[in-house]
């Protein structure tokens, strides 16, 4: 039996890293702009002793050519999980209640487990990492605000969270503060009374949302409620 985490360097992923002890930490180099900045953060974590470099596995998987204008890479987590099954049978993913892509929900979890366990029946044709396979989503029923609250309640270091996690779509040194990913991060931090003034190039909560973005957020009631709470 072996526990592995799909580590992206994002806030949810960083909290998940601190939530459990893993046998292996997997990071996929996909080639997107934000992914390369996340890789830099991973190296900084190794240098500063935040993670054990002996259990980090960096895997080159150049799938950025499939990135859509909305920054989604179709089927990304499906590919990641299939690859991760060569490293461990319990695969941890940092999904949240607010995630709406199909490769972050319980149907996805069930179907990928079915595929992996089907192939795993032929034990001589898979890497021996343990059986059965399972996809673990500890944060799936939690919002980002709740994940940060849980991180704090478990006596984790807030400065480490701010310094090493990155949730931005750009490749600027500081997180841009303009993209949707930055906004969701800022909302969670503000709702937990965490000062993020040194994280972003501009305060995400100062950005005026377009009518389209407002409607999109309102279609996700919990996300809208947390946004309104952060605005005060």
């Amino acid at each position: 039996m072996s526990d592995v985490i799909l580590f992206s360097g994002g806030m949810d992923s960083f909290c998940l890293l601190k939530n459990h002890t893993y046998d292996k930490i997997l990071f996929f180099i996909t080639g997107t702009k934000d992914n390369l900045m996340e890789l830099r953060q991973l190296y900084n974590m190794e240098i500063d002793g935040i993670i054990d470099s002996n259990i980090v596995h960096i895997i080159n998987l150049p799938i950025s050519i499939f990135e859509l204008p909305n920054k989604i890479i179709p089927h990304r987590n499906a590919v990641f999980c299939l690859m991760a099954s060569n490293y461990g049978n319990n695969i941890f993913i940092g999904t949240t209640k607010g995630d709406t892509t199909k490769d972050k929900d319980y149907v996805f979890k069930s179907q990928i487990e079915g595929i992996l366990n089907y192939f795993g029946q032929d034990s001589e044709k898979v890497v021996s990492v343990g059986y059965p396979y399972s996809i673990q989503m500890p944060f799936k029923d939690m919002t980002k605000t709740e994940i940060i609250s849980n991180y704090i309640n478990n006596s984790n270091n807030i400065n480490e969270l701010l310094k090493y996690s990155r949730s931005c779509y750009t490749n600027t040194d500081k997180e841009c503060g303009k993209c949707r990913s930055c906004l969701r991060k800022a909302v969670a931090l503000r709702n937990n009374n965490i000062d993020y003034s040194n994280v972003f190039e501009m305060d995400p909560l100062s950005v005026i949302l377009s009518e389209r973005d407002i409607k999109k957020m309102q279609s996700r009631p919990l996300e809208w409620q947390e946004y309104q709470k952060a605005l005060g």
Side-chain angles (χ1 to χ4, degrees), residues 40-51 53 164:
R40 186 181 73 172
Q41 293 294 84
L42 176 66
Y43 287 143
N44 289 335
M45 290 171 65
E46 290 184 295
I47 292 169
D48 294 344
I50 302 300
I51 55 176
S53 60
Y164 297 109

Side-chain angles (χ1 to χ4, degrees), residues 9-44:
M11 186 172 67
D12 307 329
S13 186
F14 187 86
C15 291
L16 185 61
L17 180 69
K18 293 291 187 174
N19 192 60
H20 186 73
T21 300
Y22 302 95
D23 299 295
K24 296 180 180 71
I25 300 170
L26 307 184
F27 183 92
F28 292 92
I29 301 178
T30 62
T32 62
K33 290 181 180 180
D34 51 310
N35 174 251
L36 296 177
M37 295 301 292
E38 291 161 354
L39 177 62
R40 186 181 73 172
Q41 293 294 84
L42 176 66
Y43 287 143
N44 289 335

Side-chain angles (χ1 to χ4, degrees), residues 10 13-14 26 30 47 49 60 69 78 89 99 105 112 121 130 146 154 174 196 203 228:
S13 186
F14 187 86
L26 307 184
T30 62
I47 292 169
N60 192 34
N89 64 309
D99 290 327
D105 63 19
I112 291 296
Q121 293 175 27
E146 291 169 340
N154 286 331
K174 282 189 175 183
Y196 57 72
D203 184 355
Q228 291 296 309

Side-chain angles (χ1 to χ4, degrees), residues 78-199:
V79 176
F80 285 177
C81 287
L82 293 175
M83 295 287 287
S85 68
N86 293 299
Y87 294 86
N89 64 309
N90 295 317
I91 302 165
F92 287 72
I93 309 177
T95 60
T96 74
K97 187 181 287 187
D99 290 327
T100 58
T101 52
K102 298 299 185 185
D103 63 355
K104 294 182 178 181
D105 63 19
Y106 285 120
V107 175
F108 165 79
K109 164 183 161 65
S110 176
Q111 293 187 347
I112 291 296
E113 286 176 344
I115 291 171
L116 292 175
N117 286 314
Y118 174 69
F119 284 124
Q121 293 175 27
D122 212 348
S123 61
E124 294 183 357
K125 297 181 180 179
V126 295
V127 178
S128 179
V129 294
Y131 188 88
Y133 297 92
S134 67
I135 307 299
Q136 301 291 328
M137 300 177 171
F139 296 158
K140 183 56 187 170
D141 294 322
M142 300 169 67
T143 66
K144 286 182 180 291
T145 294
E146 291 169 340
I147 291 169
I148 298 304
S149 177
N150 178 74
Y151 178 89
I152 295 170
N153 291 337
N154 286 331
S155 301
N156 288 302
N157 190 303
I158 294 173
N159 289 329
E160 286 184 1
L161 175 69
L162 297 176
K163 181 177 180 180
Y164 297 109
S165 72
R166 184 178 175 89
S167 304
C168 182
Y169 291 146
T170 72
N171 61 350
T172 55
D173 284 336
K174 282 189 175 183
E175 294 170 67
C176 73
K178 300 176 183 178
C179 68
R180 171 174 158 74
S181 187
C182 281
L183 177 59
R184 295 180 73 195
K185 180 175 183 175
V187 166
L189 294 173
R190 174 67 61 81
N191 286 339
N192 281 284
N193 299 312
I194 297 174
D195 178 14
Y196 57 72
S197 56
N198 292 320
V199 174

